[in-house]
Amino acid sequence: MGLFTRRSQDTVTAAPVAALPVDPALAALTGDYVIDPAHSSIGFTVRHAMVTNVRGTFADHEGGLHLDGADPGRSTASIDVKIASVDTGIADRDGHLRGGDFFDAEAFPLMSFRSTGAAQLGGDAYRITGDLTIKDVTRPLSIDLEFNGSATDVYGNERVGFEGSAEILRSDWGLTWNAALETGGVMVSDKVKLTFDISAIKQA
C-alpha cells in the first residue's frame, strides 16, 4: 500500500516476504484516494559546488492512489507534477531549472509517475515500483515508503499519509547540464534525492 525508493540504474526488486495476516483496520482503508496538494510535498535535494545542498519543491502536482489494505500488492499510484512550479527560493535559479539547460518546462511541462507494482515489506514499510517520466524519458523507479497512519479531519475527510524518498541519477533522464569547478569537481551533482510527504483523501 505504498506510494512512490531508492533507485539504481536497474529496478530494485523487493525481497520475497511471507504472506502477512490481514489487519482489519488496514483493510478498512481500501478505496480510491486523491492526493491533497495543499498538505503534501514533493521535493528534491542536490549537491551544489561539491560543498552544500540545494533543496527545492514542486508546488503544483496532482495524483491519486488506489489502496488495497487486504492485498497491498494490488495498490496503485499515479502523480503528475508541473515542472514550471519548481521552487528553490531563488528566482534566477528557478528560471534556469525551467529552461533548456535542465527541464525545458515549455516543451516538457510534466513529470509523471505511474506505478507498476507494490509490496508490503513488514510493519508500516511498503515498496512501490513504477515508471518515472521526465522530458519524455521513461525509466523504472522503486520507492520505499512508510505508512504514517490514517485519520478523519475536522471536515470529515478520511485521510492517509505516507512519506519516503528515492535517489536517482538525473543524467538517466537527460538532465546533463553542468559546469566544471576550478578546484575540481562539478557545479551540480548527478545524484538527486527525491522526497515525498503525501496526504491523500478518500473518495466517496
Side-chain angles (χ1 to χ4, degrees), residues 117-142:
Q120 185 176 16
L121 304 182
D124 291 329
Y126 296 84
R127 175 171 295 166
I128 191 162
T129 55
D131 294 322
L132 176 66
T133 301
I134 306 173
K135 297 183 72 171
D136 282 355
V137 176
T138 301
R139 295 183 61 86
L141 179 71
S142 179

Side-chain angles (χ1 to χ4, degrees), residues 16-199:
V17 296
L20 299 172
V22 175
D23 181 341
L26 213 55
L29 299 178
T30 297
D32 295 318
Y33 293 75
V34 171
I35 294 173
D36 177 9
H39 296 95
S40 300
S41 175
I42 297 175
F44 62 90
T45 302
V46 61
R47 182 75 71 178
H48 177 262
M50 310 293 292
V51 297
T52 190
N53 290 316
V54 168
R55 293 175 173 82
T57 60
F58 294 95
D60 196 347
H61 52 82
E62 61 182 19
L65 318 173
H66 173 74
L67 303 185
D68 190 326
D71 185 359
R74 300 182 60 170
S75 299
T76 60
S78 65
I79 191 163
D80 293 311
V81 176
K82 290 189 178 180
I83 295 298
S85 71
V86 65
D87 182 5
T88 65
I90 303 294
D92 287 346
R93 181 166 58 207
D94 296 342
H96 192 195
L97 289 172
R98 295 184 189 108
D101 283 343
F102 284 96
F103 288 109
D104 195 358
E106 186 172 343
F108 307 100
L110 292 179
M111 172 172 60
S112 64
F113 176 82
R114 299 291 183 270
S115 68
T116 57
Q120 185 176 16
L121 304 182
D124 291 329
Y126 296 84
R127 175 171 295 166
I128 191 162
T129 55
D131 294 322
L132 176 66
T133 301
I134 306 173
K135 297 183 72 171
D136 282 355
V137 176
T138 301
R139 295 183 61 86
L141 179 71
S142 179
I143 304 162
D144 288 341
L145 294 173
E146 182 177 356
F147 175 53
N148 286 339
S150 63
T152 301
D153 66 23
V154 296
Y155 301 105
N157 298 311
E158 187 175 356
R159 292 178 178 267
V160 293
F162 295 89
E163 62 179 317
S165 63
E167 285 188 355
I168 66 171
L169 298 179
R170 60 187 178 90
S171 59
D172 287 345
W173 281 267
L175 302 172
T176 57
W177 182 90
N178 228 321
L181 301 174
E182 291 184 4
T183 53
V186 292
M187 180 70 74
V188 184
S189 173
D190 191 23
K191 184 169 68 175
V192 180
K193 181 179 180 180
L194 305 177
T195 57
F196 310 93
D197 198 342
I198 302 297
S199 177

